[in-house]
Amino acid sequence: MNLTLKVWRQKNKEAKGNFEVYPVKNISSEMSFLEMFDVLNEQLITQDKDPIAFDHDCREGICGSCSMHINGEAHGPWAQNTTCQLHMRAFKDGDTIVVEPWRSAAFPVIKDLVVNRSAFDRIIQAGGYISVNTGNAVDANSLPIDKKDADNAFMAAACIGCGACVAACVNGSAMLFVSAKVAQLAQLPQGQPERESRVLNMVAQMDKENFGNCSNTYACEAECPKGISVSNIARFNKEYLSSGLSTEQ
């Protein structure tokens, strides 16, 4: 396939960015999107030009590093799919593909398609963990957990923290991410001792990080590569209200 790429180039967060156009030729339909970018970067390097910076790590759809906005969709046109697992057969010969970084005030651009997502890390540090040493894993039968709760916690824990929910939201809200982390621990016995302080601390940190408010458009769920349900946001709101009423001020 022969394609035309319009890629966002930006030296750093202070610099003014712009789109640059790159033709790429003889791209196999079986290449992943990142492999196609590798081919383009090799061409740029041989031309003594600065290669396009983009995040990647496992390239197996697990880590969430490959954050790109492709033709207006987070991670591209395939549903519940990361950029690294998007293959070029999703496009047609002669297509023009527009590639941008996540657009959010909370995710400043580092360079080109790379954004700083450490805001998510700080939200987790604020409360998205269990602070005691739980020791080795106990026998599965020694800590009974309702099957429905276990399944819901597992589905919430599938969140990889890629930031697609923020990028898809018109307000740049991190509610789906935060609600998944809260719901994951709120439904397990190990998460009960810090249940109230966790949600309050994580919300306080989320507000500090300049994320927007949730307006229930459900775009976050639609673009999430792991299909995290917005039902977690409903659970999150319940947890937040309950904690706010019961916690001493």
Side-chain angles (χ1 to χ4, degrees):
M1 293 189 296
N2 297 328
L3 303 164
T4 301
L5 299 182
K6 292 181 66 177
V7 184
W8 184 261
R9 303 301 306 266
Q10 186 171 340
K11 187 175 182 180
N12 52 53
K13 67 178 182 179
E14 286 82 20
K16 184 178 180 181
N18 62 281
F19 283 104
E20 293 189 10
V21 179
Y22 302 98
V24 288
K25 298 181 179 180
N26 301 319
I27 298 298
S28 169
S29 62
E30 298 308 307
M31 282 184 176
S32 73
F33 200 82
L34 297 190
E35 287 172 335
M36 181 272 296
F37 256 85
D38 291 337
V39 171
L40 173 57
N41 276 343
E42 288 175 2
Q43 294 175 4
L44 294 176
I45 291 170
T46 59
Q47 297 168 5
D48 291 326
K49 295 180 180 179
D50 191 24
I52 299 166
F54 62 92
D55 261 333
H56 64 96
D57 192 3
C58 73
R59 297 202 178 195
E60 295 178 346
I62 298 171
C63 70
S65 296
C66 53
S67 48
M68 295 184 190
H69 226 91
I70 303 168
N71 286 346
E73 296 181 272
H75 291 297
W78 285 356
Q80 296 189 17
N81 194 80
T82 53
T83 299
C84 62
Q85 294 296 296
L86 175 67
H87 285 71
M88 297 311 296
R89 58 180 176 271
F91 305 96
K92 298 177 181 178
D93 183 39
D95 277 356
T96 296
I97 305 174
V98 181
V99 188
E100 305 171 74
W102 289 165
R103 301 293 191 182
S104 171
F107 292 158
V109 172
I110 296 175
K111 184 178 181 180
D112 297 338
L113 304 176
V114 182
V115 299
N116 186 344
R117 293 177 297 158
S118 60
F120 272 7
D121 296 329
R122 290 188 291 272
I123 291 174
I124 295 297
Q125 290 168 3
Y129 57 89
I130 297 170
S131 63
V132 297
N133 184 358
T134 58
N136 294 329
V138 298
D139 185 86
N141 294 325
S142 66
L143 194 63
I145 301 174
D146 184 86
K147 181 65 165 57
K148 182 179 179 180
D149 291 339
D151 287 346
N152 288 338
F154 183 84
M155 287 187 287
C159 171
I160 56 178
C162 67
C165 52
V166 177
C169 179
V170 294
N171 301 322
S173 172
M175 281 288 283
L176 190 67
F177 166 76
V178 178
S179 68
K181 300 307 177 184
V182 168
Q184 170 191 344
L185 296 175
Q187 299 177 87
L188 298 176
Q190 298 92 332
Q192 300 309 306
E194 296 167 299
R195 186 172 180 173
E196 294 178 351
S197 60
R198 175 181 298 112
V199 64
L200 295 176
N201 291 340
M202 292 181 75
V203 169
Q205 187 63 41
M206 178 176 63
D207 291 341
K208 289 180 183 178
E209 298 295 343
N210 206 24
F211 289 105
N213 294 320
C214 175
S215 53
N216 294 312
T217 63
Y218 295 0
C220 51
E221 179 182 304
E223 299 289 0
C224 176
K226 297 301 177 181
I228 304 299
S229 173
V230 291
S231 63
N232 288 304
I233 296 179
R235 179 179 295 277
F236 167 90
N237 288 331
K238 178 182 177 182
E239 292 289 330
Y240 183 73
L241 179 61
S242 176
S243 297
L245 292 174
S246 60
T247 302
E248 293 182 2
Q249 301 297 323

